[in-house]
């Protein structure tokens, strides 16, 4: 291959290799704070140093907390790579296997969240609003995962992708909540209601971004179908 051909080939190949990777990197970065806190909590429960304040609520039953932390770590990290188009299309078997693992991990996260909300003592400084929000969003996450699995079973890939994006948005809300809570405290000060609303804002923001992403992907598909239909009509007019 001569130098001119190499120059022409390089710009074509390079962007495709990098395309899609900023998304999982950003998602992993967003989940870094809750993942770090969860890791420190696991170390503490295993008898390691108390790098974060101990929580007496977990002393009687640590299993749901461990399941929640491990499941959330798996769900956040592996799930981020499901957003890379090259992995989805070029490694379909990996995408399917990872999807099954993520569905189980996501259900464990949602189930353990419901368990802890219903059976653990409420954290001091939180109110009834957060209690209700946790039940609503954990139930919604489980429902979205089931709907996503049902959609792929009937070969409705678009619906499958939409439900899985919504479920992932809820699962990743802890990362967004680290920012919404920080902003809330800085602007409004600490308080039960403001803290509950700040956590709720994390779920709402993530779902809003998810809906924007879903609708953004649907529009080009509809546009391409309309263009294809117009092209067929134009060709038919020429032929007649």
């Amino acid at each position: 291959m001569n130098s001119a051909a190499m120059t022409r080939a390089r710009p074509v190949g390079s962007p495709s290799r990098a395309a899609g990777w900023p998304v999982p990197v950003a998602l992993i970065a967003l989940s870094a704070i809750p993942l770090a806190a969860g890791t420190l909590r696991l170390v503490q429960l295993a008898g390691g140093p108390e790098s974060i304040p101990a929580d007496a609520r977990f002393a009687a039953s640590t299993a749901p907390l461990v399941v929640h932390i491990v499941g959330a770590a798996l769900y956040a990290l592996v799930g981020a790579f499901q957003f890379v188009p090259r992995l989805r299309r070029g490694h379909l078997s990996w995408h399917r296997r990872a999807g099954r693992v993520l569905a189980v991990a996501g259900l464990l996260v949602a189930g353990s969240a419901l368990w802890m909300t219903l059976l653990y003592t409420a954290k001091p400084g939180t109110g009834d609003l957060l209690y209700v929000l946790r039940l609503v969003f954990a139930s919604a996450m489980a429902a979205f995962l089931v709907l996503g699995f049902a959609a792929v079973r009937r070969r409705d890939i678009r619906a499958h992708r939409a439900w899985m994006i919504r479920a992932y948005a809820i699962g990743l809300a802890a990362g967004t909540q680290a920012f919404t809570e920080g902003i809330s405290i800085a602007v409004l000060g600490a308080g039960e209601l403001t803290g509950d609303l700040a956590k709720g804002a994390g779920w709402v923001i993530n779902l809003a971004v998810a809906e924007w992403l879903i609708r953004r992907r649907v529009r080009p598909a509809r546009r391409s179908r309309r263009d294809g239909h117009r092209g067929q009509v134009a060709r038919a007019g020429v032929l007649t």
Side-chain angles (χ1 to χ4, degrees):
M1 181 182 293
N2 58 34
S3 58
M6 290 176 66
T7 304
R8 287 194 301 270
R10 208 173 284 124
V12 174
S14 298
S16 65
R17 276 195 288 270
W21 287 104
V23 174
V25 170
L27 294 173
I28 292 171
L30 180 63
S31 61
I33 294 176
L35 288 178
T39 301
L40 293 175
R41 182 69 71 188
L42 288 178
V43 171
Q44 184 185 82
L45 292 174
E50 293 189 0
S51 303
I52 56 176
D55 196 327
R57 297 178 301 145
F58 308 132
S61 177
T62 60
L65 178 63
V66 172
V67 169
H68 190 76
I69 293 172
V70 174
L74 182 64
Y75 191 69
L77 294 175
V78 179
F81 293 98
Q82 297 288 66
F83 288 86
V84 181
R86 286 184 55 141
L87 287 179
R88 287 200 313 270
R89 297 164 189 163
H91 303 275
L92 190 57
S93 60
W94 180 90
H95 176 71
R96 288 172 176 168
R97 292 192 191 101
R100 295 187 189 104
V101 171
L102 289 169
V104 174
L107 288 173
L108 288 174
V109 171
S112 59
L114 289 170
W115 179 284
M116 291 188 293
T117 301
L118 292 169
L119 299 180
Y120 280 178
T121 305
K123 184 178 180 179
T126 62
D128 293 337
L129 177 60
L130 182 59
Y131 179 85
V132 173
L133 289 174
R134 280 174 170 161
L135 294 179
V136 169
F137 284 106
S139 300
M141 180 178 174
F144 293 166
L145 287 166
V146 172
L147 288 169
F149 180 78
V152 80
R153 294 284 292 176
R154 64 174 183 269
R155 308 296 188 199
D156 189 347
I157 304 303
R158 185 176 298 167
H160 163 72
R161 186 175 299 157
W163 288 121
M164 289 306 185
I165 289 174
R166 293 181 183 114
Y168 189 79
I170 294 176
L172 211 66
T176 308
Q177 287 167 349
F179 294 97
T180 56
E181 286 185 272
I183 294 171
S184 175
I185 292 172
V187 176
L188 302 174
E192 182 181 291
L193 180 59
T194 55
D196 290 0
L197 289 172
K199 283 188 170 66
W203 284 304
V204 172
I205 289 170
N206 277 22
L207 280 175
V209 173
E211 289 301 323
W212 172 81
L213 179 62
I214 292 165
R215 294 175 188 278
R216 180 170 171 250
R217 290 184 174 189
V218 168
R219 281 195 210 103
R222 288 176 178 169
R223 196 178 302 123
S224 64
R225 284 200 300 271
R226 285 199 304 269
D227 293 343
H229 177 69
R230 288 170 184 166
Q232 290 175 356
V233 171
R235 284 193 296 271
V238 170
L239 289 173
T240 55

